[in-house]
Amino acid sequence: YHGPTAHPRQASPPDVDRPVFDPEVTERLERLGAASGEDLMGQLATLFLADADSRMVALRQALEDDDGPALMLEAHTLCGASANLGAVELSHLCARLTTDGAVGDPERGEALLLGVEIELERVRLALSAPTPPPPTSRSAPELSSSPTPSPRP
């Protein structure tokens, strides 16, 4: 007897009910950007997205090669970049890649990487969504549901 039958450890999926970004981080970035006259959040988002795809390729390769140091480096880098942007769930999932035994356990590693990929797509979609205008103290006029009349020739 060798104890109960072992079942492969399953990675929990990303928490899709949680907001993609930590509002405190995004507000801080927006304030810093406004103080410097820059779109800091937009610049960070552009840099993050440009880097994220190559990090994902490197993560997948490290997992396939069972290369623990490379996996930890790539996951740690993406974890930090995600946290800087306020993508808390993505940062948390990347941190789990470095600590939850992804190396040497292909099923576990694949499940964790899948969670990172799913959450990265949520981040990508949130970053590409149009930013709503800031709220004002005055209430906005009601929009008419009737179609706009076309100009006359």
Side-chain angles (χ1 to χ4, degrees):
Y1 177 74
H2 298 287
T5 304
H7 295 285
R9 293 180 296 172
Q10 297 296 316
S12 57
D15 184 356
V16 295
D17 292 329
R18 179 183 289 176
V20 175
F21 296 106
D22 178 338
E24 289 182 25
V25 174
T26 55
E27 287 171 15
R28 185 172 49 240
L29 290 171
E30 288 168 1
R31 280 194 315 269
L32 286 170
S36 66
E38 307 257 341
D39 177 15
L40 187 57
M41 185 68 178
Q43 291 174 11
L44 284 174
T46 299
L47 292 170
F48 174 81
L49 291 174
D51 187 57
D53 289 332
S54 63
R55 296 280 171 204
M56 291 304 299
V57 169
L59 278 168
R60 182 156 300 286
Q61 188 63 52
L63 192 62
E64 288 173 9
D65 295 345
D66 203 26
D67 184 346
L71 181 78
M72 291 181 72
L73 173 67
E74 297 299 334
H76 179 75
T77 302
L78 190 55
C79 175
S82 303
N84 288 340
L85 198 58
V88 182
E89 183 69 12
L90 181 57
S91 179
H92 172 74
L93 291 167
C94 290
R96 288 188 55 204
L97 264 174
T98 67
T99 60
D100 281 8
V103 175
D105 186 347
E107 283 184 38
R108 176 79 174 158
E110 186 61 37
L112 288 166
L113 190 58
L114 179 61
V116 169
E117 289 172 335
I118 290 168
E119 188 62 18
L120 177 58
E121 188 57 29
R122 286 184 69 222
V123 169
R124 187 183 316 279
L125 290 171
L127 289 173
S128 66
T131 306
T136 60
S137 57
R138 296 179 297 152
S139 60
E142 292 287 322
L143 296 177
S144 170
S145 60
S146 63
T148 305
S150 56
R152 295 183 186 190

